[in-house]
Amino acid sequence: MTIAHWINRALGAAGVQLIRAETLAPLLTLRSTTARSIQPTETVSATEPQCKGVFNIDPILQEITPDLLLRPARARERIADFLQVQISDIRLLETDFHAIPCDVETIFSDSLGKLCVDEYLRFTGLLDSFDPSPMGHAYADLLTHNLVEVYFRNSITRLYHLITMLRSMGVMPGASILEVGAFYCYFAGPLQRLGYRVVAIDRYRQFGGALNGFLHDFRSSGGVVIESDEAHEVEDLHKLGKFDAVISMAVVEHVPHTPRDFLSSLASHVRSGGVLAIDTPNIARYFN
């Protein structure tokens, strides 16, 4: 996933459908410095797009990246102001960038952002204990250390917005949280260390101990792990009680049929007045 993936997620949340580019360069990431610089003297014809409703935002893309990641509503307003159009007039946004420089420590500079960056560094450090080969060739070929590190870095934004949302909905430290499909415990771990009481469940019995380093780290902070497998996960999940919040991050898109039963199961573990939070990749993202 590239920085443009997260730009697209932010724009989607702000009501814009798609960022596209003439050329895609897969695996360019947040650290990329290959993007050309926009000079102050450069101009762009915001009022003459290639076709109606299509606008190029290269001249301001680097400048508004923090807003795209952290404050999508603000980014939407800035884009419309730059283009001098109504938000409803924007059909597509396009960029010629393959990637743009993105210093996460500068962008995520508030207290929560620093915590999220520290968690990214923490999980990256745990990669030394991670060997995906017991999980089978499909996992081993995909989950290289480089790609997992990119996943962790790109998930800084997801963690930031999840914690912000939980706080805004009154789910504060001390509350109980269930993460379904926790895998690396990338969300469960930081929430546990923030003072929440977190239970993480996934098909860990099928993974041959590949994730034991991450599970040990989570358990060492007081988290509870439910090790299940495909044959028993419904039963194991059913045994759990109700929680102040249930989260399931980037899991629903893996359900090979209607997600109705899965979502109903998640909801059944949320106490009255509690919160159910899920996220899923945007099918219209730049990376696709």
Side-chain angles (χ1 to χ4, degrees):
M1 286 182 276
T2 66
I3 176 60
H5 165 77
W6 296 110
I7 290 172
N8 200 332
R9 286 176 67 91
L11 289 171
V16 177
Q17 292 180 318
L18 177 68
I19 275 189
R20 66 184 188 185
E22 294 299 322
T23 305
L24 299 181
L27 304 184
L28 290 173
T29 72
L30 290 167
R31 285 182 178 166
S32 174
T33 56
T34 60
R36 66 184 179 89
S37 298
I38 296 295
Q39 301 302 319
T41 56
E42 288 189 52
T43 60
V44 62
S45 176
T47 58
E48 297 180 5
Q50 294 178 353
C51 58
K52 185 176 180 180
V54 179
F55 302 90
N56 185 288
I57 57 170
D58 283 354
I60 63 166
L61 188 49
Q62 288 174 302
E63 176 188 347
I64 66 172
T65 295
D67 280 338
L68 287 166
L69 293 174
L70 300 177
R71 299 168 289 273
R74 170 62 178 153
R76 177 181 61 184
E77 294 173 359
R78 292 182 65 183
I79 290 170
D81 183 65
F82 165 74
L83 297 173
Q84 297 183 341
V85 298
Q86 297 295 316
I87 293 171
S88 58
D89 293 333
I90 301 174
R91 183 171 65 87
L92 299 176
L93 297 174
E94 65 179 8
T95 177
D96 292 323
F97 284 132
H98 296 172
I100 60 176
C102 181
D103 182 348
V104 293
E105 293 187 1
T106 299
I107 291 175
F108 295 89
S109 59
D110 62 7
S111 59
L112 176 56
K114 290 177 180 178
L115 180 147
C116 293
V117 172
D118 286 345
E119 288 293 336
Y120 149 66
L121 295 173
R122 179 190 188 91
F123 276 84
T124 299
L126 292 172
L127 281 173
D128 289 340
S129 70
F130 178 54
D131 175 11
S133 56
M135 303 170 73
H137 291 297
Y139 281 105
D141 291 344
L142 175 64
L143 301 179
T144 65
H145 281 201
N146 179 63
L147 285 180
V148 174
E149 185 271 334
V150 169
Y151 167 80
F152 290 158
R153 185 158 10 103
N154 284 337
S155 293
I156 294 172
T157 312
R158 301 166 63 208
L159 179 60
Y160 184 97
H161 285 293
L162 173 65
I163 295 172
T164 299
M165 184 209 69
L166 291 174
R167 289 173 173 176
S168 72
M169 301 186 75
V171 183
M172 305 302 288
S176 60
I177 295 180
L178 170 66
E179 181 173 11
V180 178
F183 209 63
Y184 303 109
C185 294
Y186 192 84
F187 300 92
L191 290 170
Q192 179 69 32
R193 284 184 281 277
L194 276 173
Y196 294 93
R197 295 177 290 113
V198 186
V199 175
I201 183 172
D202 209 325
R203 298 175 180 176
Y204 294 116
R205 288 202 293 264
Q206 296 179 201
F207 299 154
L211 297 170
N212 281 355
F214 297 100
L215 298 187
H216 174 75
D217 180 73
F218 177 57
R219 286 181 169 124
S220 69
S221 63
V224 176
V225 177
I226 306 297
E227 299 190 36
S228 189
D229 53 43
E230 186 173 5
H232 300 93
E233 61 187 356
V234 173
E235 176 186 352
D236 291 340
L237 185 59
H238 181 72
K239 293 176 182 177
L240 302 177
K242 293 184 181 292
F243 295 78
D244 297 311
V246 174
I247 65 173
S248 190
M249 312 300 288
V251 174
V252 68
E253 71 273 12
H254 296 287
V255 177
H257 45 74
T258 173
R260 181 185 298 275
D261 291 341
F262 175 68
L263 295 174
S264 294
S265 178
L266 296 180
S268 71
H269 292 283
V270 182
R271 68 162 179 80
S272 177
V275 173
L276 170 59
I278 66 171
D279 77 346
T280 189
N282 183 348
I283 196 171
R285 68 191 185 276
Y286 173 110
F287 186 73
N288 277 350

